[in-house]
Amino acid sequence: EVQLVESGGGLVKPGGSLRLSCAASGFTFSTYSMNWVRQAPGKGLEWVSSISSSSNYIYYADSVKGRFTISRDNAKNSLYLQLNSLRAEETAVYYCARGGSNLSMWGQGTLVTVSS
Amino acid sequence: QSALTQPASVSGSPGQSITISCTGTSSDVGGYNYVSWYQHHPGKAPKLMIYEVSNRPSGVSNRFSGSKSGNTASLTISGLQAEDEADYYCSSYTSSSTPYVFGTGTKVTVL
């Protein structure tokens, strides 16, 4: 079955860190660009970061640049997002999504709650 | 990069057609044919419905169609069904420093 499964979410204090993971299966992970997208409670979708298939090209939303780091391990079919210096307003469901010009597959998401 | 502009809500009766607009600029929607549309039922994974302005992925109903004119893209849902009630988001490639921008989202209600 073709799927993406996120993990690593949880409760963290403001200023804290968290590492999200996304396990891919059922397709050739190493040939696809991958992305993280988040949705805060009651808000819309917000693109966070993208990484090309061989990690040559990496992009971040201005709001997370310098604090979040995207990476991947093609041998493990896994995508990661390191979240540092987290802020309360970054409480959201974080989705990993496959694709370059369009996001053809999404995971179910993992909830990150930033609260003291 | 500002979000693309969508109406907050659109509603229609079963069997009717509705259209959701997505307005950007010449740096995103108007400049590239990389507009996508996503359906999102709360608590579920978003689903790609239209890519590259008007293409449907395999398995997506032909009741969904996309188009673009200038800086505005549109998603039309014909023969509206109860299962179409969801949030819909457009997205576009952009020439800014960040490659993606999403729309503000539209809640579709089937009356």
Side-chain angles (χ1 to χ4, degrees), chain A residues 35 37 39 43-47 50 59-62 65 95 99-104 106-108, chain B residues 1 34 36 38 40 43-48 51-52 87 89 91 97-104:
Chain A
N35 305 265
V37 177
Q39 184 177 36
K43 303 291 187 181
L45 298 176
E46 179 189 15
W47 172 81
S50 294
Y59 304 94
Y60 298 100
D62 290 342
K65 207 170 291 184
Y95 297 97
S101 60
N102 61 78
L103 306 182
S104 55
W106 298 61
Q108 295 282 349
Chain B
Q1 178 67 46
Y34 288 117
S36 302
Y38 302 90
H40 190 201
K44 293 194 170 184
K47 177 183 179 183
L48 177 66
Y51 67 97
E52 292 173 9
D87 297 320
Y89 295 89
S91 77
S97 58
T98 55
Y100 273 124
V101 61
F102 279 100
T104 50

Side-chain angles (χ1 to χ4, degrees), chain A residues 8-94:
Chain A
L11 175 63
V12 61
K13 289 181 168 53
S17 298
L18 215 52
R19 190 194 196 206
L20 307 183
S21 298
C22 172
S25 59
F27 64 97
T28 308
F29 178 76
S30 61
T31 63
Y32 287 90
S33 293
M34 296 295 296
N35 305 265
W36 288 99
V37 177
R38 66 186 177 186
Q39 184 177 36
K43 303 291 187 181
L45 298 176
E46 179 189 15
W47 172 81
V48 173
S49 183
S50 294
I51 186 169
S52 62
S53 57
S54 54
S55 304
N56 289 341
Y57 299 97
I58 289 176
Y59 304 94
Y60 298 100
D62 290 342
S63 57
V64 307
K65 207 170 291 184
R67 298 184 299 116
F68 290 10
T69 302
I70 191 172
S71 62
R72 65 190 296 163
D73 185 336
N74 287 343
K76 295 183 177 179
N77 290 336
S78 293
L79 175 72
Y80 306 102
L81 187 67
Q82 177 68 39
L83 292 70
N84 295 333
S85 303
L86 281 161
R87 305 164 179 167
E89 60 267 28
E90 294 179 311
T91 291
V93 175
Y94 285 73

